[in-house]
Each structure stands twice: as structure tokens, then as C-alpha cells.
Amino acid sequence: MKINWGTGIVIAFALFMTFILYFVFEVQSNSKYDNDLVVEEYYKHDTHFQEEMARIQNAHDLQHKPSIKYSQEGVQVTFPADFEGSKVKGNVLLYRPSNKKFDFDTQIALTNSSLLIPQKKLIKGRWDVNMEWQYEGKKYLTKEVIYVN
């Protein structure tokens, strides 16, 4: 049986489509490939975008900004000395982009104008740090990316 070039093209397309469909099915059905949304309630989160931008701008406008740094002890959040530690309220969300199982939230409780999140809570890799806080009734949002070694 002789196959002409037209039949060869149809066979090649059919094999290619089968190959692609196999991988689509494999990724959708295998739990090893996690394809969840980054935020659980994406659209609800998006409606508060303008408020979030205002809080980021408030933090940007500060003359002395809090710093978020990684050290051997863990993640160190340090507020400037002119902030009264008892008046700072809020929380720090450490978000792991690769796996939401590692995300956790910590309340801000300052000791000597700083907060330490211990190394034992962190695994190696990239962490997005979102610090939502308020001072004297004004709301702020600070976002940083840190890498844990």
C-alpha cells in the first residue's frame, strides 16, 4: 500500500492532535500538577484593588519606611525608631507562590521595634511578604519578595 503526501499530512495532524490531547488530559487529571488560582476568591480580591493601591501609596509616602530582610535567624521586619511599637497593628502574610500549603500569617507584635519570623517556619526558595498594618488610624501595605537560602 502506497501512502501519498496528502494522506501523510492527515496522519501527521492526527498523531500531533493525539499527542497534545494526551498531555492536556494528563495535566488536568494528575494531582501532581497543581493548577489552582493564586488567590482563592480572585474576583472578590480584585474589587478592593483601589483600596490596596491607596495603602501601598501611604507606605511609599512615609519618610522612614519599615524594612523586611532575610537573615540566618529568619525574616526580620524592622520599623523605624520613631514608631511606637504599641500603636502598630496588623499582620504579615508570607506567601509561597509555588505551593499554597506553606503560606502562613503572623500578627505584628513588636519587640524593640522589630519582629522576627523564625527560620524554622521557612523553606528554601522565593517568598512574597505582604505586610498589612496601621499606625495611628492610617492603613499601610508593604510588599517585598525575599529569597530564603
Side-chain angles (χ1 to χ4, degrees), residues 16-112:
F16 179 72
M17 287 172 36
T18 304
F19 175 74
I20 294 299
L21 288 174
Y22 166 75
F23 279 111
V24 167
F25 177 74
E26 182 69 25
V27 168
Q28 293 299 322
S29 64
N30 195 338
S31 63
K32 181 173 82 172
Y33 303 107
D34 189 16
N35 53 9
D36 291 335
L37 290 173
V38 173
V39 178
E40 287 296 326
E41 297 176 352
Y42 178 77
Y43 294 108
K44 188 176 182 180
H45 180 266
D46 198 35
T47 59
H48 301 291
F49 182 73
Q50 190 60 40
E51 178 186 315
E52 184 176 310
M53 293 307 295
R55 291 184 295 158
I56 290 172
Q57 187 62 45
N58 288 344
H60 182 71
D61 291 343
L62 287 173
Q63 189 173 14
H64 302 288
K65 298 171 183 54
S67 67
I68 302 170
K69 292 194 169 54
Y70 172 72
S71 66
Q72 293 297 77
E73 294 83 34
V75 175
Q76 184 82 30
V77 179
T78 307
F79 282 84
D82 56 344
F83 283 89
E84 286 184 47
S86 61
K87 290 184 179 180
V88 176
K89 308 260 186 271
N91 61 17
V92 179
L93 170 69
L94 276 92
Y95 166 75
R96 180 75 181 194
S98 62
N99 192 341
K100 70 179 178 181
K101 294 175 192 166
F102 298 116
D103 297 355
F104 65 94
D105 216 351
T106 303
Q107 292 292 323
I108 295 177
L110 298 180
T111 316
N112 298 330

Side-chain angles (χ1 to χ4, degrees), residues 4 6 68 124:
N4 64 15
I68 302 170
K124 292 183 179 184

Side-chain angles (χ1 to χ4, degrees), residues 3-13:
I3 299 176
N4 64 15
W5 63 272
T7 307
I9 289 175
V10 169
I11 291 172
F13 272 141

